[in-house]
Amino acid sequence: MSRCLLISSLILLLNCETALGASWSISSRSEKDVREVVAKLLAREGPSIEGADGALILYDTVLFNATQKKGLNLGVNRITYVADPSAEHVATQTFDSIYGEVNMAKAWVLRQDDTFEWIADESIRVRQMKDDVPGSVVFAFTQAQPGDILGLSYMVDHEEAPFTYSIGLSQPYPVKVGHVTLSTDGILGYRLLMKNVPDNKRDAKVLKKLNGAPAVVRVEYRDIAAIASDSFMLPYARREPHVWLSYRGSYSKNFGWIFNKSWSQTAANMEGEVDKYVAPNKEIRAQAETIVAGISDPNLRTDALYRFVRDEILLIESQELDDSLRRPSKTLKSRNATSLEKGFLLASLMRSLRLPANISFARNAFWGELDETNPGLWQFSDVLVQLGNTPRWFNPSCRSCPPGILPHGLRKVPAFRIFRGLEEKNDDLQEKLWREAEYHAPTFVPLYLRRVAQQPWQEFVDTPGDPDAMGGTLTELVRMQPGNPEAEIELASWGFNRLINLKRRYEDPQERLNEYLDRRIANVAVLSAADQSAADENDETAVAMSGSFSTSLLPPASGDTWVLPAEIVFGKPFLEDWSGPDRTPFHVPYGITMVYECRMPLPEGWSSIQPVRPVDTLAHRFHYKASVAVDGDEVVLNRTITLKAGTSRGQRLGSMDSSVRKVHDFEKTALVLQAAVPK
């Protein structure tokens, strides 16, 4: 089976105890325990696994225990049914843990003839985490037979509780049954969020904390398969089905669980925490003094600190972390950081020199809109730092951004700022409402959630920059002739678009054109390609290239009729992967206008063509126009598609569906031209 545990970056963690009602703890295992769990699984899932193609996960549990004093204890249980012993899921597998020390690993096999045996310890190799390299459990079992049931368990200890945990449900085969159970010591509170998991495929239950007993959340997900994705899905929706276990609130001895229901409450809960997190220590101060040595101007000092974090601290993805969100001193030492950690490090360096560093949390426009119904800092992509009240904002995760300039995706977006003094105000509000509720917790909690939402403690400010600068233009001109398999192409672009991304990715123009055409036209081969871009220091997004490619033969006209195959003159249809109004939200990260022009010589003996009805349809997120006309001695098919940045969901998708179908009716049907009849 492939690894299905991924770690993101911002939020706090967890524990678990039971599985399917059977006692099956990670530290104490017996043959009887294993048989009880397997028997229940086979009784419920047996009929559905007969004749299964390839190894199939029957059961997958994650067990957590997170306390303020002991940190995190994570246990993982896996049971796999062997249908095909040659399947890669059954061979030697490596399970990486980015948490900490692996202190126990056990494996067993239950044969089809009902014999049970532990797998020898020499078949299990444990590599402990060291120098930011994840620890691993390597499980080798090459004697699998059809019908065997294999099991692996391992436990990991970590001194700190990570901020966020995500369980990816994507597999090369369906996930049949999975469980997550977690508990806490009452200091940390959690919420369970699911993405791309149908309601009828899951069951979750939250058991509230009562009289000091641990709070427990248990979820079961069943029969989950990987979902299809397309380029207009929100980034989080492009991921396969997954479950988020995330920090949302805290537990009060008097008030019980209090989860974030509003941005004001989020600000109140996090206010003191952020300041403590970025408080500089002596290592931070020493590094800052070294960076700004000889510089006295505050702006130039800030610029120097920014360049250091931007250029000297390697940007990594949160999944690469072997730890939770790290403090600035740790990222400084490791010389690598996530986008959030980079912002925190810059703020800490600035504050060590008494430079006014205002911290804000922002969500890159390419990520889509904030979920207003689910307040929490985990939604943000970046930590931005503003120099006092000046218009100078810094995002050290952007390698190409000069000091004080934000990248396109973070311009004119709402930034969530946590200002000081809220912790005391929140305490005062709770005391007042506690008395008003006559010291009755069930009355207090809804009262507090309602009143805290009314407080002016949430501060969203628009980041500086021009949102229209995010837009771009892409033009494509294709020339083809009947009977000639070679077509010519010219491309040009300005602003953010796919062509500039390809240029940054591929130095070779032929590779660049091949990747471009792969998304545009089926069954073509690049014959030649050349970069025609002119050097422009003021606009690196100005890209131009030309080339040629082989394609299917364009048929000649037959008398007064010319039938042009859709797949040749249109290429792949616009929004080819559209799955109807029930799809996930339709997301356009930045506005763009795309102009596609196909030119073909007017057939011999034709003076013109009979009028072709143009197509013009306006949807919530795009405007599509297409026309066919004669220009001199050429027939010109022109399509102009304008995409508007933003996200469409719900009823908007229903209205968009009719527009998409209209476009598909046009682009998936052969274009039939008739010679003009002389008057």
Side-chain angles (χ1 to χ4, degrees), residues 526-574:
V526 174
L527 301 176
S528 65
D531 192 333
Q532 306 291 344
S533 305
D536 188 344
E537 295 181 356
N538 298 318
D539 187 5
E540 67 165 336
T541 68
V543 178
M545 64 183 306
S546 61
S548 61
F549 61 92
S550 62
T551 183
S552 301
L553 287 176
L554 187 69
S558 178
D560 292 338
T561 301
W562 194 9
V563 179
L564 302 174
E567 63 275 13
I568 297 179
V569 295
F570 291 114
K572 295 182 179 180
F574 173 58

Short mmCIF file of all heavy atoms in Angstrom, two decimals, residues 526-574:
data_model
loop_
_atom_site.label_atom_id
_atom_site.label_comp_id
_atom_site.label_asym_id
_atom_site.label_seq_id
_atom_site.Cartn_x
_atom_site.Cartn_y
_atom_site.Cartn_z
N VAL A 526 5.67 17.66 -32.27
CA VAL A 526 6.39 18.89 -32.56
C VAL A 526 7.51 18.60 -33.55
O VAL A 526 8.30 17.67 -33.37
CB VAL A 526 6.96 19.50 -31.26
CG1 VAL A 526 7.83 20.71 -31.58
CG2 VAL A 526 5.82 19.89 -30.33
N LEU A 527 7.58 19.42 -34.59
CA LEU A 527 8.63 19.28 -35.60
C LEU A 527 9.75 20.28 -35.38
O LEU A 527 10.93 19.98 -35.59
CB LEU A 527 8.04 19.45 -37.00
CG LEU A 527 6.93 18.45 -37.37
CD1 LEU A 527 6.35 18.80 -38.74
CD2 LEU A 527 7.46 17.03 -37.35
N SER A 528 9.38 21.50 -34.98
CA SER A 528 10.39 22.53 -34.73
C SER A 528 9.82 23.55 -33.76
O SER A 528 8.60 23.68 -33.62
CB SER A 528 10.80 23.23 -36.03
OG SER A 528 9.69 23.94 -36.58
N ALA A 529 10.71 24.28 -33.08
CA ALA A 529 10.27 25.31 -32.14
C ALA A 529 11.39 26.31 -31.94
O ALA A 529 12.57 25.95 -31.92
CB ALA A 529 9.86 24.70 -30.81
N ALA A 530 11.03 27.58 -31.78
CA ALA A 530 12.01 28.64 -31.56
C ALA A 530 11.42 29.68 -30.62
O ALA A 530 10.24 30.02 -30.71
CB ALA A 530 12.42 29.29 -32.88
N ASP A 531 12.27 30.17 -29.71
CA ASP A 531 11.84 31.22 -28.78
C ASP A 531 11.99 32.57 -29.47
O ASP A 531 13.07 32.92 -29.94
CB ASP A 531 12.71 31.17 -27.53
CG ASP A 531 12.16 32.03 -26.40
OD1 ASP A 531 11.47 33.03 -26.71
OD2 ASP A 531 12.41 31.72 -25.23
N GLN A 532 10.90 33.32 -29.56
CA GLN A 532 10.90 34.63 -30.22
C GLN A 532 10.76 35.76 -29.21
O GLN A 532 10.52 36.91 -29.61
CB GLN A 532 9.74 34.70 -31.23
CG GLN A 532 9.71 33.57 -32.25
CD GLN A 532 10.85 33.66 -33.23
OE1 GLN A 532 11.50 34.69 -33.36
NE2 GLN A 532 11.12 32.56 -33.94
N SER A 533 10.92 35.47 -27.93
CA SER A 533 10.71 36.49 -26.90
C SER A 533 11.78 37.57 -27.00
O SER A 533 12.97 37.28 -27.16
CB SER A 533 10.77 35.86 -25.50
OG SER A 533 9.83 34.80 -25.40
N ALA A 534 11.35 38.82 -26.88
CA ALA A 534 12.28 39.94 -26.84
C ALA A 534 12.58 40.28 -25.39
O ALA A 534 11.68 40.26 -24.54
CB ALA A 534 11.68 41.15 -27.56
N ALA A 535 13.83 40.58 -25.10
CA ALA A 535 14.20 40.92 -23.73
C ALA A 535 13.47 42.18 -23.29
O ALA A 535 13.49 43.20 -23.98
CB ALA A 535 15.71 41.12 -23.63
N ASP A 536 12.79 42.11 -22.18
CA ASP A 536 12.04 43.24 -21.64
C ASP A 536 12.21 43.25 -20.12
O ASP A 536 11.60 42.46 -19.42
CB ASP A 536 10.56 43.14 -22.01
CG ASP A 536 9.78 44.40 -21.64
OD1 ASP A 536 10.30 45.21 -20.83
OD2 ASP A 536 8.66 44.58 -22.14
N GLU A 537 13.06 44.14 -19.64
CA GLU A 537 13.34 44.18 -18.21
C GLU A 537 12.10 44.56 -17.40
O GLU A 537 11.99 44.24 -16.22
CB GLU A 537 14.46 45.18 -17.92
CG GLU A 537 15.80 44.77 -18.51
CD GLU A 537 16.89 45.76 -18.19
OE1 GLU A 537 16.56 46.79 -17.56
OE2 GLU A 537 18.05 45.52 -18.55
N ASN A 538 11.16 45.27 -18.05
CA ASN A 538 9.97 45.73 -17.34
C ASN A 538 8.85 44.70 -17.33
O ASN A 538 7.88 44.85 -16.60
CB ASN A 538 9.46 47.04 -17.96
CG ASN A 538 10.48 48.15 -17.85
OD1 ASN A 538 11.11 48.30 -16.81
ND2 ASN A 538 10.65 48.92 -18.92
N ASP A 539 8.95 43.68 -18.18
CA ASP A 539 7.89 42.69 -18.24
C ASP A 539 8.46 41.33 -18.62
O ASP A 539 8.60 41.02 -19.80
CB ASP A 539 6.81 43.11 -19.24
CG ASP A 539 5.59 42.19 -19.21
OD1 ASP A 539 5.56 41.29 -18.35
OD2 ASP A 539 4.68 42.37 -20.02
N GLU A 540 8.80 40.53 -17.61
CA GLU A 540 9.35 39.20 -17.89
C GLU A 540 8.28 38.24 -18.39
O GLU A 540 8.58 37.15 -18.85
CB GLU A 540 9.99 38.63 -16.62
CG GLU A 540 9.01 38.32 -15.51
CD GLU A 540 9.61 37.44 -14.44
OE1 GLU A 540 10.57 36.72 -14.74
OE2 GLU A 540 9.09 37.47 -13.31
N THR A 541 7.00 38.65 -18.31
CA THR A 541 5.93 37.76 -18.75
C THR A 541 5.66 37.87 -20.24
O THR A 541 4.81 37.17 -20.76
CB THR A 541 4.63 38.06 -17.98
OG1 THR A 541 4.13 39.35 -18.36
CG2 THR A 541 4.86 38.03 -16.48
N ALA A 542 6.36 38.80 -20.94
CA ALA A 542 6.18 38.91 -22.39
C ALA A 542 6.93 37.76 -23.05
O ALA A 542 8.15 37.73 -23.08
CB ALA A 542 6.69 40.25 -22.89
N VAL A 543 6.18 36.79 -23.58
CA VAL A 543 6.76 35.58 -24.16
C VAL A 543 6.23 35.40 -25.57
O VAL A 543 5.04 35.62 -25.83
CB VAL A 543 6.42 34.34 -23.31
CG1 VAL A 543 6.99 33.08 -23.94
CG2 VAL A 543 6.94 34.51 -21.90
N ALA A 544 7.09 34.98 -26.48
CA ALA A 544 6.66 34.68 -27.85
C ALA A 544 7.46 33.50 -28.36
O ALA A 544 8.65 33.35 -28.03
CB ALA A 544 6.85 35.89 -28.76
N MET A 545 6.85 32.66 -29.15
CA MET A 545 7.55 31.54 -29.76
C MET A 545 6.82 31.10 -31.02
O MET A 545 5.64 31.42 -31.22
CB MET A 545 7.71 30.38 -28.78
CG MET A 545 6.44 29.73 -28.32
SD MET A 545 6.77 28.43 -27.09
CE MET A 545 7.96 27.40 -27.95
N SER A 546 7.53 30.39 -31.88
CA SER A 546 6.95 29.87 -33.11
C SER A 546 7.44 28.45 -33.31
O SER A 546 8.40 28.01 -32.68
CB SER A 546 7.34 30.74 -34.31
OG SER A 546 8.76 30.75 -34.47
N GLY A 547 6.77 27.74 -34.22
CA GLY A 547 7.18 26.38 -34.48
C GLY A 547 6.27 25.70 -35.46
O GLY A 547 5.40 26.33 -36.09
N SER A 548 6.44 24.40 -35.59
CA SER A 548 5.59 23.61 -36.48
C SER A 548 5.34 22.25 -35.84
O SER A 548 6.10 21.80 -34.99
CB SER A 548 6.26 23.42 -37.84
OG SER A 548 7.49 22.72 -37.71
N PHE A 549 4.24 21.62 -36.25
CA PHE A 549 3.90 20.31 -35.69
C PHE A 549 3.13 19.52 -36.73
O PHE A 549 2.53 20.07 -37.66
CB PHE A 549 3.08 20.46 -34.41
CG PHE A 549 1.76 21.18 -34.59
CD1 PHE A 549 0.59 20.47 -34.85
CD2 PHE A 549 1.69 22.56 -34.48
CE1 PHE A 549 -0.62 21.12 -35.00
CE2 PHE A 549 0.48 23.23 -34.63
CZ PHE A 549 -0.68 22.51 -34.88
N SER A 550 3.19 18.21 -36.60
CA SER A 550 2.44 17.35 -37.51
C SER A 550 1.10 17.01 -36.86
O SER A 550 1.01 16.82 -35.66
CB SER A 550 3.21 16.06 -37.80
OG SER A 550 3.41 15.32 -36.61
N THR A 551 0.07 16.95 -37.69
CA THR A 551 -1.26 16.68 -37.19
C THR A 551 -2.02 15.85 -38.21
O THR A 551 -1.50 15.52 -39.28
CB THR A 551 -2.01 18.00 -36.89
OG1 THR A 551 -3.28 17.71 -36.34
CG2 THR A 551 -2.18 18.82 -38.16
N SER A 552 -3.26 15.51 -37.89
CA SER A 552 -4.07 14.76 -38.84
C SER A 552 -4.31 15.59 -40.09
O SER A 552 -4.36 16.84 -40.04
CB SER A 552 -5.42 14.40 -38.19
OG SER A 552 -5.22 13.63 -37.03
N LEU A 553 -4.48 14.91 -41.22
CA LEU A 553 -4.67 15.62 -42.49
C LEU A 553 -5.99 16.37 -42.52
O LEU A 553 -7.05 15.83 -42.18
CB LEU A 553 -4.62 14.64 -43.66
CG LEU A 553 -3.24 14.06 -44.01
CD1 LEU A 553 -3.38 13.04 -45.13
CD2 LEU A 553 -2.29 15.19 -44.43
N LEU A 554 -5.92 17.63 -42.92
CA LEU A 554 -7.12 18.42 -43.12
C LEU A 554 -7.70 18.06 -44.49
O LEU A 554 -7.01 18.19 -45.51
CB LEU A 554 -6.77 19.91 -43.07
CG LEU A 554 -7.93 20.91 -43.09
CD1 LEU A 554 -8.72 20.82 -41.78
CD2 LEU A 554 -7.41 22.33 -43.28
N PRO A 555 -8.94 17.57 -44.55
CA PRO A 555 -9.49 17.15 -45.85
C PRO A 555 -9.75 18.34 -46.75
O PRO A 555 -10.03 19.45 -46.28
CB PRO A 555 -10.78 16.44 -45.46
CG PRO A 555 -11.18 17.07 -44.17
CD PRO A 555 -9.91 17.38 -43.45
N PRO A 556 -9.70 18.15 -48.08
CA PRO A 556 -10.03 19.24 -49.01
C PRO A 556 -11.54 19.41 -49.13
O PRO A 556 -12.32 18.57 -48.67
CB PRO A 556 -9.41 18.76 -50.32
CG PRO A 556 -9.50 17.26 -50.23
CD PRO A 556 -9.27 16.93 -48.78
N ALA A 557 -11.94 20.51 -49.74
CA ALA A 557 -13.36 20.74 -49.98
C ALA A 557 -13.86 19.78 -51.04
O ALA A 557 -13.11 19.33 -51.92
CB ALA A 557 -13.59 22.18 -50.43
N SER A 558 -15.15 19.45 -50.97
CA SER A 558 -15.79 18.60 -51.96
C SER A 558 -16.88 19.40 -52.65
O SER A 558 -17.97 19.59 -52.11
CB SER A 558 -16.38 17.36 -51.28
OG SER A 558 -17.05 16.54 -52.24
N GLY A 559 -16.54 19.94 -53.80
CA GLY A 559 -17.50 20.78 -54.49
C GLY A 559 -17.73 22.07 -53.73
O GLY A 559 -16.79 22.81 -53.41
N ASP A 560 -19.00 22.34 -53.42
CA ASP A 560 -19.35 23.56 -52.69
C ASP A 560 -19.41 23.35 -51.18
O ASP A 560 -19.87 24.23 -50.45
CB ASP A 560 -20.71 24.10 -53.18
CG ASP A 560 -20.64 24.61 -54.61
OD1 ASP A 560 -19.52 24.93 -55.05
OD2 ASP A 560 -21.69 24.69 -55.27
N THR A 561 -18.95 22.19 -50.70
CA THR A 561 -19.02 21.89 -49.26
C THR A 561 -17.64 21.52 -48.74
O THR A 561 -16.89 20.77 -49.38
CB THR A 561 -19.99 20.72 -49.00
OG1 THR A 561 -21.29 21.07 -49.50
CG2 THR A 561 -20.09 20.44 -47.49
N TRP A 562 -17.34 22.06 -47.57
CA TRP A 562 -16.04 21.74 -46.94
C TRP A 562 -16.33 21.35 -45.50
O TRP A 562 -16.79 22.15 -44.68
CB TRP A 562 -15.13 22.95 -46.99
CG TRP A 562 -13.68 22.64 -46.66
CD1 TRP A 562 -13.12 21.42 -46.53
CD2 TRP A 562 -12.64 23.61 -46.46
NE1 TRP A 562 -11.78 21.53 -46.25
CE2 TRP A 562 -11.44 22.87 -46.21
CE3 TRP A 562 -12.57 24.99 -46.50
CZ2 TRP A 562 -10.23 23.50 -45.96
CZ3 TRP A 562 -11.36 25.61 -46.26
CH2 TRP A 562 -10.19 24.88 -45.99
N VAL A 563 -16.05 20.08 -45.17
CA VAL A 563 -16.29 19.57 -43.82
C VAL A 563 -14.95 19.54 -43.07
O VAL A 563 -14.03 18.81 -43.44
CB VAL A 563 -16.91 18.15 -43.84
CG1 VAL A 563 -17.11 17.64 -42.42
CG2 VAL A 563 -18.23 18.17 -44.61
N LEU A 564 -14.86 20.35 -42.01
CA LEU A 564 -13.63 20.47 -41.23
C LEU A 564 -13.80 19.71 -39.91
O LEU A 564 -14.63 20.08 -39.08
CB LEU A 564 -13.33 21.95 -40.94
CG LEU A 564 -13.19 22.84 -42.19
CD1 LEU A 564 -13.06 24.29 -41.78
CD2 LEU A 564 -12.00 22.40 -43.02
N PRO A 565 -13.03 18.63 -39.69
CA PRO A 565 -13.16 17.84 -38.45
C PRO A 565 -12.90 18.71 -37.22
O PRO A 565 -11.94 19.47 -37.17
CB PRO A 565 -12.11 16.75 -38.61
CG PRO A 565 -11.88 16.65 -40.09
CD PRO A 565 -12.03 18.04 -40.61
N ALA A 566 -13.74 18.56 -36.21
CA ALA A 566 -13.63 19.38 -35.01
C ALA A 566 -12.30 19.20 -34.30
O ALA A 566 -11.68 20.16 -33.83
CB ALA A 566 -14.79 19.06 -34.06
N GLU A 567 -11.83 17.94 -34.21
CA GLU A 567 -10.61 17.69 -33.46
C GLU A 567 -9.38 18.30 -34.11
O GLU A 567 -8.35 18.50 -33.45
CB GLU A 567 -10.38 16.18 -33.28
CG GLU A 567 -10.17 15.39 -34.55
CD GLU A 567 -11.47 14.96 -35.22
OE1 GLU A 567 -12.54 15.47 -34.82
OE2 GLU A 567 -11.41 14.10 -36.12
N ILE A 568 -9.47 18.65 -35.43
CA ILE A 568 -8.33 19.27 -36.12
C ILE A 568 -8.37 20.78 -35.98
O ILE A 568 -7.37 21.41 -35.63
CB ILE A 568 -8.31 18.87 -37.60
CG1 ILE A 568 -8.12 17.35 -37.74
CG2 ILE A 568 -7.20 19.61 -38.34
CD1 ILE A 568 -8.11 16.86 -39.18
N VAL A 569 -9.51 21.39 -36.27
CA VAL A 569 -9.56 22.87 -36.29
C VAL A 569 -9.79 23.48 -34.91
O VAL A 569 -9.40 24.62 -34.65
CB VAL A 569 -10.64 23.36 -37.27
CG1 VAL A 569 -10.27 22.98 -38.70
CG2 VAL A 569 -12.01 22.82 -36.92
N PHE A 570 -10.45 22.74 -34.00
CA PHE A 570 -10.68 23.27 -32.65
C PHE A 570 -9.63 22.77 -31.65
O PHE A 570 -9.32 23.46 -30.68
CB PHE A 570 -12.06 22.87 -32.13
CG PHE A 570 -13.21 23.54 -32.84
CD1 PHE A 570 -14.10 22.81 -33.61
CD2 PHE A 570 -13.40 24.91 -32.73
CE1 PHE A 570 -15.16 23.42 -34.25
CE2 PHE A 570 -14.45 25.54 -33.37
CZ PHE A 570 -15.34 24.79 -34.13
N GLY A 571 -9.12 21.57 -31.88
CA GLY A 571 -8.29 20.96 -30.86
C GLY A 571 -9.16 20.42 -29.74
O GLY A 571 -10.34 20.10 -29.95
N LYS A 572 -8.61 20.31 -28.56
CA LYS A 572 -9.39 19.82 -27.43
C LYS A 572 -10.40 20.88 -27.00
O LYS A 572 -10.07 22.07 -26.95
CB LYS A 572 -8.46 19.46 -26.27
CG LYS A 572 -7.54 18.30 -26.58
CD LYS A 572 -6.67 17.92 -25.39
CE LYS A 572 -5.78 16.72 -25.73
NZ LYS A 572 -4.91 16.32 -24.59
N PRO A 573 -11.63 20.49 -26.71
CA PRO A 573 -12.67 21.47 -26.39
C PRO A 573 -12.34 22.29 -25.14
O PRO A 573 -11.65 21.83 -24.23
CB PRO A 573 -13.92 20.60 -26.15
CG PRO A 573 -13.61 19.28 -26.78
CD PRO A 573 -12.13 19.11 -26.68
N PHE A 574 -12.83 23.49 -25.10
CA PHE A 574 -12.72 24.34 -23.92
C PHE A 574 -13.46 23.67 -22.76
O PHE A 574 -14.56 23.16 -22.93
CB PHE A 574 -13.34 25.71 -24.23
CG PHE A 574 -13.44 26.63 -23.04
CD1 PHE A 574 -12.30 26.99 -22.32
CD2 PHE A 574 -14.66 27.14 -22.65
CE1 PHE A 574 -12.40 27.85 -21.23
CE2 PHE A 574 -14.77 28.00 -21.57
CZ PHE A 574 -13.64 28.36 -20.86
#
